[in-house]
Amino acid sequence: MNFKKVINLDFKTFDLAIILVLIFSNLVFLEDSVNNMLLAAVILLLGFFRFFKPGINFNKVFLLIISLSSFITVVTWQPNKISLIVLLFLYLIAKSNPKLINIDLYINLSIIIFLLITSFYFLFGLNIDYDTTIWRPLEGKSYPRMSLGYYHSNQAMLKWLILVMALFSKGLSKSNMTKIIPILVITYLLYSVTVSRTSTLIVFMICSLFYIFKNKLHITLTKKMVNILALLPLFFTVISLLMVRLTEITWINNLLSGRLVIYSNALQTYGITLLGSSEIEKLMFDNAFLHMLLGKGIIFSVIYFFLFYKVVKGAEYITFREALIILGFLCVGIMETMLLKFEILILLIAMLYREKDELLVPYSTGKKKKIFKRITLSR
């Protein structure tokens, strides 16, 4: 094999590799964790081929991140900690190539696959063995949950949520707000059979925010707003820690299906350490921010906050549309472990660094607004 040719592969090959794995990750032959590992492996491979070759000077801070991530991965023997390097490479690839993936193609194929899987579930009983029931303490009753062809009903709703975010990143504007209605109807129907609250609430939240800010979707954020957006993971982590103090309020704990007790016990048992505890992985730990802080440790969390900050600050412009989608992604993290789910991180980063094809308006509190010319970032 001619490795020189492999290393000099055009970015179109990288695009193709990422889109193929993304489409494959929508299939049900593998569990979510395995799909995430597959995506991570592809991005690592692309990153090493792209950036570790003669003539490229690698940023010393990024080299430190790679070294620290490799160190904590080896010391703790937790392979998923290598995900920091994956996130770094994803950011660098996007910066090098604004057309990271073809979002339109991904949306169309994802819709087809989602429809196929759910159709096969109803017609042929695909993965019907993964149907379950859930007990809701606050209501004192259990509910049946359909898997819709996936390994878990929550996974089905997460796929729908990611698809909604992708649709909103491209095709919703002030002139076609009526598209929200079918999305809300489909979301309600899916909730009625999956009883998956988190993804449903986030879809409703995003739809509401898009309608409220429909006149500002194309307006760019100020530097101060971008800074706040970039620091939101740290804010959500603090909020998550404060939530644990609500353990003694029974109805709130019941509303969250006893999760607050689990979080409180984990904090008392394992604490917040530099390298984290692998035992957290075995618990029903649905809060992504606490899961990262307790399970992966302070070092990992600080690096994640830094990389998230770099990703957001590195975008040339961020509109209200993009900010609302990022906010939705972070809100999911309160109840689901989504922070390192590369299927959605790829879409979010591709959304931030793509070529802008709309008229952008700078944020203004008053009088006259100057319209930017149409932006093309051809490289």
Side-chain angles (χ1 to χ4, degrees):
M1 179 184 288
N2 189 335
F3 284 99
K4 198 166 185 181
K5 281 187 179 180
V6 174
I7 289 174
N8 291 319
L9 282 175
D10 189 272
F11 259 122
K12 287 181 181 177
T13 309
F14 293 169
D15 300 339
L16 179 62
I18 290 175
I19 196 75
L20 285 176
V21 179
L22 276 171
I23 297 307
F24 182 72
S25 73
N26 272 279
L27 301 176
V28 294
F29 303 115
L30 298 173
E31 293 183 7
D32 256 8
S33 58
V34 181
N35 284 326
N36 212 43
M37 286 172 59
L38 182 61
L39 272 173
V42 170
I43 297 166
L44 275 175
L45 189 63
L46 300 184
F48 274 111
F49 279 163
R50 173 63 183 171
F51 301 111
F52 285 89
K53 59 181 181 180
I56 290 186
N57 296 319
F58 217 67
N59 186 297
K60 290 181 180 179
V61 175
F62 294 154
L63 282 175
L64 178 62
I65 288 174
I66 292 172
S67 302
L68 274 175
S69 301
S70 302
F71 172 75
I72 62 177
T73 300
V74 173
V75 168
T76 61
W77 198 240
Q78 289 179 264
N80 56 8
K81 286 184 176 177
I82 207 75
S83 54
L84 290 173
I85 301 177
V86 180
L87 180 56
L88 171 61
F89 282 169
L90 189 55
Y91 159 67
L92 293 174
I93 291 171
K95 286 281 284 185
S96 304
N97 174 34
K99 294 181 179 178
L100 178 62
I101 62 168
N102 187 324
I103 296 181
D104 289 329
L105 175 63
Y106 175 68
I107 290 172
N108 293 333
L109 290 175
S110 294
I111 291 172
I112 293 170
I113 292 172
F114 188 82
L115 289 174
L116 279 175
I117 291 172
T118 51
S119 299
F120 279 21
Y121 169 82
F122 286 109
L123 293 173
F124 309 112
L126 176 67
N127 280 341
I128 201 166
D129 292 341
Y130 291 99
D131 288 2
T132 59
T133 58
I134 186 171
W135 173 260
R136 289 278 159 80
L138 191 64
E139 296 145 54
K141 58 189 292 191
S142 59
Y143 295 90
R145 308 183 75 184
M146 294 184 182
S147 65
L148 298 182
Y150 291 89
Y151 278 112
H152 196 282
S153 53
N154 285 346
Q155 184 190 15
M157 281 303 290
L158 280 174
K159 295 291 184 183
W160 171 247
L161 172 62
I162 293 170
L163 186 52
V164 169
M165 287 180 172
L167 286 167
F168 278 24
S169 75
K170 285 291 292 181
L172 202 67
S173 62
K174 179 184 175 182
S175 61
N176 58 7
M177 276 289 148
T178 52
K179 288 184 179 180
I180 286 179
I181 297 173
I183 289 173
L184 290 174
V185 171
I186 294 171
T187 303
Y188 176 76
L189 292 174
L190 289 174
Y191 171 76
S192 66
V193 295
T194 62
V195 198
S196 182
R197 295 181 300 187
T198 303
S199 296
T200 302
L201 288 172
I202 298 303
V203 171
F204 275 85
M205 183 194 82
I206 292 175
C207 287
S208 301
L209 290 174
F210 262 70
Y211 185 78
I212 292 169
F213 293 101
K214 62 184 177 184
N215 295 321
K216 294 186 176 181
L217 295 179
H218 61 298
I219 292 177
T220 57
L221 303 186
T222 64
K223 287 184 178 180
K224 187 175 181 180
M225 290 175 177
V226 172
N227 283 329
I228 292 172
L229 185 67
L231 292 171
L232 278 183
L234 181 58
F235 171 77
F236 275 95
T237 301
V238 174
I239 292 296
S240 298
L241 286 169
L242 293 175
M243 280 173 57
V244 179
R245 294 178 174 270
L246 303 176
T247 304
E248 295 180 2
I249 304 177
T250 306
W251 72 269
I252 295 181
N253 187 53
N254 287 339
L255 180 65
L256 298 176
S257 303
R259 288 180 174 89
L260 294 183
V261 171
I262 296 173
Y263 302 158
S264 178
N265 290 339
L267 269 170
Q268 292 174 22
T269 305
Y270 305 107
I272 300 172
T273 62
L274 285 176
L275 299 178
S277 171
S278 59
E279 294 299 313
I280 298 296
E281 306 286 343
K282 303 172 185 177
L283 302 176
M284 189 185 76
F285 222 84
D286 292 334
N287 184 298
F289 303 98
L290 293 180
H291 184 276
M292 179 171 69
L293 188 60
L294 274 68
K296 296 181 171 60
I298 295 173
I299 296 175
F300 184 100
S301 300
V302 169
I303 296 174
Y304 181 88
F305 295 148
F306 172 77
L307 287 176
F308 189 92
Y309 185 86
K310 289 290 292 183
V311 167
V312 173
K313 289 287 290 181
E316 189 162 355
Y317 299 100
I318 297 181
T319 63
F320 270 80
R321 172 196 304 278
E322 295 157 351
L324 293 176
I325 293 172
I326 292 172
L327 177 63
F329 163 70
L330 293 173
C331 286
V332 179
I334 295 290
M335 297 301 293
E336 299 285 350
T337 51
M338 286 279 285
L339 295 183
L340 290 165
K341 189 173 177 63
F342 292 110
E343 181 180 355
I344 188 169
L345 283 173
I346 288 173
L347 284 171
L348 291 178
I349 293 175
M351 172 188 75
L352 288 176
Y353 289 90
R354 70 186 174 198
E355 294 178 350
K356 310 294 183 183
D357 57 357
E358 59 184 336
L359 293 177
L360 301 181
V361 179
Y363 183 84
S364 172
T365 54
K367 308 175 182 178
K368 202 169 177 184
K369 293 180 183 177
K370 177 183 174 184
I371 297 181
F372 288 116
K373 64 181 181 180
R374 188 176 298 275
I375 295 173
T376 51
L377 306 177
S378 53
R379 302 181 183 186

